[in-house]
Amino acid sequence: EAGTGKTTIVRAALRALRAAGSATPFCFVTSEGSEEMRGLAAGAGALGVIAKPFTPEQFLEVIGTVVSA
């Protein structure tokens, strides 16, 4: 499974929040932007993934989508 121990913990926490009914928008900022990681993040309930390195424009594009959700 993609991701470090930290991203695994964050995904688990996000899944728990979603299971508890929280709809707070969430986006992962990660060093791994693989399709597998994006799928895992989406499966956990994230609305976006920003893979490092990224430009300010890329950051604003993804965050804009998350904030407007």
Side-chain angles (χ1 to χ4, degrees):
E1 185 169 290
T4 64
K6 289 179 184 177
T7 58
T8 300
I9 292 167
V10 172
R11 285 195 320 265
L14 182 54
R15 282 192 300 270
L17 285 170
R18 295 295 186 246
S22 174
T24 300
F26 189 89
C27 179
F28 277 90
V29 177
T30 179
S31 61
E32 184 180 345
S34 69
E35 287 303 314
E36 180 183 9
M37 179 55 140
R38 292 177 187 282
L40 290 168
L47 298 178
V49 174
I50 302 172
K52 298 185 279 184
F54 51 84
T55 65
E57 294 79 15
Q58 291 168 319
F59 182 82
L60 288 174
E61 180 181 337
V62 174
I63 289 299
T65 302
V66 172
V67 171
S68 66

